[in-house]
Amino acid sequence: MSVEVLDGATIVNFVEDEVAFHVSVSDRFAHLDTNHDGLLSYAEMLKELQSLRVFETHFGIDVKTEPGELARVYSALFQLFDRDSNGKVDLEEFEAETKRMMLAMANGLGFLPVQMVLEEDSFLKKAVELESRKVVA
C-alpha cells in the first residue's frame, strides 16, 4: 500500500487512455480467470468484489454484516458486470463495468485533490502511476 494524492481528473485521464486502461483491465481479468476459459464465473470474481469493500467504514474497520446480506450485495454487483445475464463475465463486460465504476468514482471525488491509501495493484494506483509518468515526460 502507498499514500497517493489524486483527484477525479486522475481517474478520468486513466480511463480515457484507451491503451493503458485496456491493458490494466485485461491484466486484472487474466489474473481473475483462474481456469483460463476467457470468462469469469461468480466464484472467480468473488474475491475481486469483496476487495471493493462496500461495507467498510472508517479507517478500514468493517461493519458486521449478515452473510445473507453480503451474498445478496455481491450477487447484485456480479449482475452489474454480467450484462447479458448468462452467468459469466467476458472481457468486454468486465471492461465496460470497470470503466463505469471508475468514472463514478471520479465523479464522486470531484476535482479537488485528496490523499488516499491505495493497494499496489489497484486501478486507482495505476491511474496515479500513469499521471506520474506523464508529468515526468
Side-chain angles (χ1 to χ4, degrees), residues 14-42:
F14 174 61
V15 170
E16 289 179 348
D17 187 322
E18 292 179 13
V19 173
F21 185 70
H22 181 73
V23 167
S24 294
V25 170
S26 296
D27 288 349
R28 179 68 55 83
F29 185 91
H31 174 75
L32 295 172
D33 185 15
T34 55
N35 67 359
H36 310 291
D37 67 351
L39 299 168
L40 299 178
S41 66
Y42 177 77

Side-chain angles (χ1 to χ4, degrees), residues 8-126:
T10 305
I11 299 169
V12 169
N13 292 336
F14 174 61
V15 170
E16 289 179 348
D17 187 322
E18 292 179 13
V19 173
F21 185 70
H22 181 73
V23 167
S24 294
V25 170
S26 296
D27 288 349
R28 179 68 55 83
F29 185 91
H31 174 75
L32 295 172
D33 185 15
T34 55
N35 67 359
H36 310 291
D37 67 351
L39 299 168
L40 299 178
S41 66
Y42 177 77
E44 287 173 312
M45 276 198 65
L46 186 57
K47 184 175 181 185
E48 187 76 358
L49 295 173
Q50 291 169 334
S51 76
L52 296 174
R53 303 185 60 81
V54 293
F55 291 106
E56 184 175 85
T57 59
H58 197 58
F59 295 109
I61 299 171
D62 291 328
V63 173
K64 299 246 183 208
T65 307
E66 289 189 33
E69 183 179 355
L70 283 173
R72 286 188 297 279
V73 168
Y74 293 134
S75 177
L77 286 170
F78 180 80
Q79 289 170 12
L80 290 173
F81 282 89
D82 183 17
R83 293 181 173 202
D84 61 9
S85 300
N86 69 350
K88 302 281 184 175
V89 175
D90 63 29
L91 178 58
E92 184 178 311
E93 291 171 313
F94 186 74
E95 186 165 356
E97 187 58 26
T98 300
K99 180 177 185 176
R100 191 183 74 78
M101 288 182 160
M102 295 290 291
L103 291 174
M105 281 190 277
N107 186 49
L109 277 177
F111 293 96
L112 293 174
V114 295
Q115 196 172 33
M116 296 177 76
V117 176
L118 302 178
E119 302 268 342
E120 288 304 315
D121 198 35
S122 70
F123 289 124
L124 291 178
K125 177 69 173 178
K126 291 180 185 299

